[in-house]
Amino acid sequence: VNLSNAQGGGVTITDNQGAAIITDTDPEPTIRIDDVTVNEGDTGTTPMVFTVRLSAASGQTIAVNFTTTNSSAVQPGDFVAQTGTLTFAPGITSQTLTVAVNGDGDVEANEQLVVTLSQPLNATLDNSTAIGRILNDDLRTLVINDIAIVEGDTGTTNAVFTVTLSETATVPVSTSFATVASSAAAGTTSSDRWARSRSPRARRSRPSRCRSSATPTSRAPSSSSSA
Ligand SMILES: [Ca+2]
Ligand SMILES: [Ca+2]
Ligand SMILES: [Ca+2]
Ligand SMILES: [Ca+2]
């Protein structure tokens, strides 16, 4: 408050200004960051956008540092590492930070990275970490071949089927299998006729055997359950 123009009785102003200090008693806002899930994509990058929110608007500028760290997703292959500072001008209550996820065609497990907040200015941390999940969107196909074998006269003959994965996978792949009774025309080993038979008769007297084998291009373990 400023005084001026004092009049009467020989009064002079010796200190014309009085200041009042207003103490802000509002609690500091808290900061939280939410988890995010994105599909990986196959080419370029996919933005993984994290939202960082204040519990309330503030009259002060608020800032917080952030950094990405590897979890099952590993930079630089799976995502682009990020470090920086988010600044909230007075009155602003939410900001975003974006992590670039690298697209590829590799079959991977779902993976995740971590974003960590630190060193809040004029605020406190509600939670300090968020998970960024990268969902696998890549597929491989499995095929099993037809085969022809000669029955033999004694004992058993193995019918060896090959199960092939279309491309190498970076995670284990497994499949169930089971034999089913069908029929075969006497005296033929034609796999086509065997496969196209329209009048299957169950072969009750002879158990069938099936063995799976992994292809050289597959890192997947072959299934070992017996049918
Ligand atoms: Ca992909
Ligand atoms: Ca990847
Ligand atoms: Ca990966
Ligand atoms: Ca992938």
Side-chain angles (χ1 to χ4, degrees), residues 10-97:
V11 172
T12 59
I13 299 172
T14 57
D15 179 354
N16 72 339
Q17 191 166 70
I21 296 172
I22 300 172
T23 302
D24 184 357
T25 57
D26 294 338
E28 287 187 333
T30 57
I31 303 176
R32 67 171 294 113
I33 181 170
D34 298 328
D35 295 346
V36 179
T37 299
V38 298
N39 290 322
E40 176 195 59
D42 296 335
T43 59
T45 60
T46 299
M48 175 180 276
V49 181
F50 291 86
T51 300
V52 181
R53 289 180 286 114
L54 303 184
S55 60
S58 173
Q60 295 183 291
T61 296
I62 288 173
V64 67
N65 292 345
F66 64 89
T67 190
T68 55
T69 50
N70 293 343
S71 181
S72 50
V74 177
Q75 64 86 22
D78 291 314
F79 67 97
V80 179
Q82 282 261 36
T83 298
T85 302
L86 282 181
T87 302
F88 300 76
I92 299 297
T93 57
S94 102
Q95 294 278 32
T96 59
L97 67 94

Side-chain angles (χ1 to χ4, degrees), residues 5 11 19 21 24 36 79 81 94 116 145 173 178-179 198-199 206:
N5 198 26
V11 172
I21 296 172
D24 184 357
V36 179
F79 67 97
S94 102
T116 303
N145 66 335
V173 174
T179 56
R198 290 286 187 273
S199 55
R206 184 173 296 175

Side-chain angles (χ1 to χ4, degrees), residues 40-41 104-108 136-138:
E40 176 195 59
D104 63 49
D106 300 337
V107 177
E108 300 159 290
N136 173 57
D137 55 8
D138 302 305

